[in-house]
Amino acid sequence: MCGIVAYVGNRESYPVILKGLKRLEYRGYDSSGVAVISDKIEVYKKQGKVAELEESLLGIPMKSTIGIGHTRWATHGEPSDRNAHPHISKSGRIAMIHNGIIENYAALKLELLKKDYTFSSDTDTEVLLNFIEDIRKHNACSLEEAVRIALKRVVGAYVIVLLDLENPDTLIAARKGSPLVIGIGKNEHFLASDASPIIEYTKEVVYINDYELAIVKGNELILKNLGNEVITPFVQKLDMELAAIEKGGFNHFMIKEIFEQPQTIFDCLRGRLDLTRSDIMMAGVEKYIDELKNANRIIIVACGTSWHAGLIAEYIIEELCRIPVEVEYASEFRYRNPIVNKGDVIFAISQSGETADTLVAIERAKEQGAIIFGILNVVGSSIARISHAGAYTHAGPEIGVASTKAFTAQLVVLTMMAIKIAKEKQTISEGRFVQLMEELSAVPDKVAAILKDTYVVERIAAKHATASSFLFLGRGYNFPIALEGALKLKEISYIHAEGYPAAEMKHGPIALVDENLPVLFVATKDAYHQKVISNMQEINARKGKLIAIVSAGDHTIDALTDDIIEVPEADELIAPIINVIPLQLLSYYIGVSRGLDVDKPRNLAKSVTVE
Ligand code: M6R
């Protein structure tokens, strides 16, 4: 969370930083700010979105070729102008932006208070900044040296970038646990939380590792470790186009990303699913095939929507591969002393590859000897770098805070992996293997068919947009889809929603049902179909407002409700990838009709890099 951008070079820094902040706003949008150097350090910050900062700065000349900017997701201290970044040191000679959390900030603050430091914000960032300034003062050392000394005392996660009046042509940056990319231009450097602010200017980037310090001028980039040893930067080429991070004619990133799914799913299958040779090619799976097929257990760790993908994978892997699977919230797994044995394989599922809980959970498991397999969207992300192997989802940059195309791509990758392992393990027949491959290859067209006509979903969204609560129900492979439908609606529309296994409803949630409650069933044809119809009858008998997602041509429940969304029929293992699409659309249209900012829902951020 929090987005950081910085620039040093030969152009004016403010326009570069402002544009970068807009691209990173998905990471946090409580407040934003910039700092540039004239004859002093000038700091401008504002509560609210980046557009509000931009407006407040109209007409202010910003003639500086160096600068730092920040868009915030509040941790320490409420969203406000004074807690916004950049922060400025007591002397006014250093400014700093920070993404992460300084866990021992209270102890550091106490030390500074004893030395008569005062603070103008409630943030851990201002404490760290003054701690650095204090070290520089007392050791009469360079800022670089002071940062190095300070970071040895810091507990927590950070990316920091500092602007120094003593060296107005140099930025100092450091990272631990939060992402930092440096773009290399001609006599200029761009620093950012991800590549999106950089892509427009250069494709040459360096991903900074934990415990590394960068000393950056327009024409020079020096990397060092905290022991002051110089490290050779590893320059990589970005595989991303500018168009991928723009809205391309859609009103919101979320709807653009929903509509991209026929293509992203196709991209995810491309080069992997080989129908002519009846094989699935996944380099990471092939490399670790013995460990995977002989795994005693697969433990899946993830958060949010990625955790829902993990639940579906549990059902599929156990069905096809006969390997026991456990699905864990990363935030629980990391703190509860879990048993991880030799022969266990961990799957880490994450769109961003930066989620702090997932990252730490797999570090713990790795220490205990587990093989770590990452199912990730962002290439070169922190989780990618500590995994033994993995498979990218190739969904392209996902900017909308609500995950949509990354989820379907995760399901495609996990399903391909399960089928491949099952084939190698000989737990499925050749016939079933080929059938599932064919089913997968048909998914892009089936998703496109749903997106061709969204009228029914829009009509249902309009009808229920004022509901105060929603229930989502499904069984088997569709139970996690019910959870995902509820999460999407909560995030985007702020309507209270719960997802449940349809049969579990009788054990409590049915008490909520009355004539005001919309109850959505994911009721496509599968082994549970008849049972789900019975559950619908139970809701109908209690006057709940039924909505159903059914297989095309299924008229079994026509008499129970008018709110029926038909989707193309698919094998029950593959159906979740298709069935989630109307739920994504439903939450989007409800959010829009309630006048909400669906790309930036309140209190949320795209990548959760704090615990
Ligand atoms: O980047 P990750 O997949 O690790 O993110 C996990 C969750 O934070 C994420 O899925 C979140 O729940 C989304 N906002 C859901 O739409």
Side-chain angles (χ1 to χ4, degrees), residues 401-434:
V401 164
S403 188
T404 53
K405 63 175 182 172
F407 177 67
T408 47
Q410 287 166 347
L411 292 181
V412 171
V413 164
L414 288 159
T415 308
M416 280 193 291
M417 286 173 61
I419 300 171
K420 173 83 179 168
I421 297 167
K423 182 184 177 175
E424 297 291 333
K425 213 178 163 203
Q426 297 183 343
T427 45
I428 57 170
S429 67
E430 187 62 22
R432 181 75 173 132
F433 178 77
V434 171

Side-chain angles (χ1 to χ4, degrees), residues 220-240:
E220 189 178 55
L221 166 63
I222 299 174
L223 272 193
K224 292 186 178 177
N225 61 21
L226 292 188
N228 201 21
E229 292 160 334
V230 175
I231 300 163
T232 310
F234 174 52
V235 181
Q236 301 186 44
K237 267 233 160 350
L238 281 177
D239 180 21
M240 188 201 277

Side-chain angles (χ1 to χ4, degrees), residues 3 11 24 31 39 61 94 129 154 167 216 221 294 306 313 326 390 517 589:
R11 42 180 119 203
L24 287 181
S31 61
D39 51 342
I94 316 173
L129 169 60
V154 161
N167 296 292
V216 195
L221 166 63
N294 299 321
S306 298
E326 284 170 27
L517 184 75
Y589 290 124

Side-chain angles (χ1 to χ4, degrees), residues 587-604:
S587 66
Y588 173 78
Y589 290 124
I590 291 182
V592 169
S593 73
R594 288 166 76 101
L596 301 171
D597 186 347
V598 294
D599 280 341
K600 301 186 201 97
R602 70 180 176 209
N603 305 335
L604 288 170

Side-chain angles (χ1 to χ4, degrees), residues 485-540:
L487 177 63
K488 283 292 87 91
L489 190 70
K490 276 183 271 210
E491 281 188 294
I492 298 307
S493 70
Y494 314 154
I495 295 176
H496 166 253
E498 293 191 42
Y500 263 93
E504 186 66 19
M505 169 190 76
K506 297 189 285 295
H507 302 283
I510 200 163
L512 297 169
V513 178
D514 63 14
E515 64 282 4
N516 297 315
L517 184 75
V519 183
L520 187 148
F521 277 86
V522 188
T524 46
K525 280 197 185 140
D526 57 18
Y528 302 87
H529 191 238
Q530 272 316 315
K531 309 265 176 218
V532 174
I533 305 279
S534 307
N535 297 143
M536 283 186 180
Q537 300 280 10
E538 291 156 7
I539 295 293
N540 196 45

